[in-house]
Amino acid sequence: MDAYEGFASVYDVFMDEVDYPAWVQYIKDTWKNLNTMPQSVVDLGCGTGNITIPLAKAGYGVVGVDISEEMLAEAQRKAMAEGLSIPFFCQDMVEMELPYQVDCVLSLCDSLNYLTEDGELSAAFSAVKEHLNPKGLFLFDMNTKYKFQEVFGDKTYAAMTEDAAYFWENSFDEEDQINEYYVSFFIRQKNKETYERVEEYHYERAYSLDEVKTCLDEHGFSLLNIYDGYSFERAKEDSHRYFFVAQLKEEN
């Protein structure tokens, strides 16, 4: 089963610890610090629209892109409930092909870590470049090796609500730099006392700062800042998440 197929229906329930409003405000503050105000935005790896929808409500022209049809269906349902008409595209980020260019591309919630094969990160950066206006911004986050190795490690986690539960077994392969999540969900069936079990495997790759910097440079980006998560503090060796601020260089 593809990642997030079974999880889509309960994704927001188990991600409620993420302060999405704070993330949206952080994006706005980042733009403000750069003295820019993008009019058009692509949310790459948008999931169920937890960033896309608030930005649209704030008046930005935003488009959502994700590889999961199930996640996009949930995002569309939520957008319609808010009375919003947001274009959503089901595409792989390494092959993104939209009919226009934008002022800023966002890729949040460690979406880029899901690019585990050699060359995929480069392909994604190339696709982002092709969809940016001159001097366009590329803002993205990534889980760090420290987080995979020292925080998640070889541990097991569990969570439950009234209608769902999950068990998550984590492991990190030092040689391949791949973090594996095995997740087993139990989702209560509507109007029933039975639960459906869904199993998924998720894989994320740890990229070094040098790898990311080199890849950005190869595709014509200037790296403006690397922050410690969703703060404006400098990234550290023990950061759990890096936040990158890059801008497309002017062509000579």
Side-chain angles (χ1 to χ4, degrees):
M1 175 176 286
D2 291 336
Y4 290 122
E5 279 191 11
F7 199 16
S9 62
V10 292
Y11 179 84
D12 291 331
V13 173
F14 289 121
M15 293 295 285
D16 64 352
E17 77 279 4
V18 177
D19 192 349
Y20 289 112
W23 284 20
V24 172
Q25 186 58 52
Y26 180 80
I27 295 299
K28 294 178 182 178
D29 290 342
T30 300
W31 290 334
K32 183 178 180 180
N33 291 344
L34 294 171
N35 295 313
T36 187
M37 185 60 66
Q39 299 300 307
S40 51
V41 180
V42 166
D43 185 6
L44 185 59
C46 66
T48 63
N50 291 316
I51 300 296
T52 326
I53 292 170
L55 288 177
K57 290 177 68 175
Y60 297 93
V62 61
V63 173
V65 178
D66 201 277
I67 197 171
S68 169
E69 292 182 358
E70 289 77 10
M71 298 290 270
L72 290 176
E74 181 65 13
Q76 189 67 265
R77 184 195 66 77
K78 290 161 60 176
M80 291 177 65
E82 295 281 354
L84 299 170
S85 179
I86 300 174
F88 288 103
F89 294 85
C90 187
Q91 295 186 7
D92 189 326
M93 63 175 63
V94 303
E95 299 175 343
M96 179 172 62
E97 188 172 344
L98 304 178
Y100 34 70
Q101 294 178 309
V102 297
D103 298 327
C104 181
V105 172
L106 305 173
S107 187
L108 310 179
C109 210
D110 44 278
S111 295
L112 289 166
N113 288 105
Y114 277 85
L115 303 178
T116 59
E117 299 295 328
D118 291 344
E120 286 188 329
L121 187 66
S122 179
F125 284 8
S126 177
V128 169
K129 176 183 179 180
E130 293 302 314
H131 289 83
L132 280 175
N133 289 321
K135 299 185 71 173
L137 292 171
F138 182 24
L139 311 183
F140 60 98
D141 70 26
M142 281 184 146
N143 278 335
T144 65
K145 178 180 178 179
Y146 179 88
K147 182 177 182 179
F148 291 138
Q149 192 171 37
E150 303 298 333
V151 180
F152 288 165
D154 295 324
K155 299 176 183 177
T156 300
Y157 304 85
M160 63 182 63
T161 67
E162 183 177 347
D163 296 319
Y166 81 79
F167 299 90
W168 159 22
E169 297 178 16
N170 194 86
S171 63
F172 180 68
D173 187 311
E174 175 74 27
E175 181 176 352
D176 294 333
Q177 300 291 291
I178 299 295
N179 193 80
E180 177 184 300
Y181 312 85
Y182 165 69
V183 192
S184 184
F185 304 98
F186 296 86
I187 305 169
R188 186 175 182 178
Q189 301 304 287
K190 190 174 182 180
N191 300 322
K192 296 181 180 180
E193 295 300 321
T194 59
Y195 288 76
E196 177 188 5
R197 181 180 181 182
V198 178
E199 296 177 295
E200 293 186 357
Y201 288 89
H202 295 240
Y203 302 92
E204 293 194 26
R205 176 170 172 173
Y207 286 94
S208 69
L209 286 179
D210 284 343
E211 287 178 296
V212 178
K213 290 176 182 178
T214 298
C215 201
L216 285 170
D217 184 65
E218 288 176 348
H219 291 288
F221 287 97
S222 295
L223 181 56
L224 305 183
N225 280 298
I226 309 174
Y227 294 118
D228 178 18
Y230 285 78
S231 75
F232 291 108
E233 298 179 5
R234 183 173 296 180
K236 309 184 293 290
E237 287 187 5
D238 61 351
S239 293
H240 293 189
R241 185 186 298 271
Y242 292 137
F243 189 91
F244 297 85
V245 180
Q247 185 173 36
L248 198 59
K249 298 175 184 177
E250 289 189 79
E251 295 185 1
N252 296 326

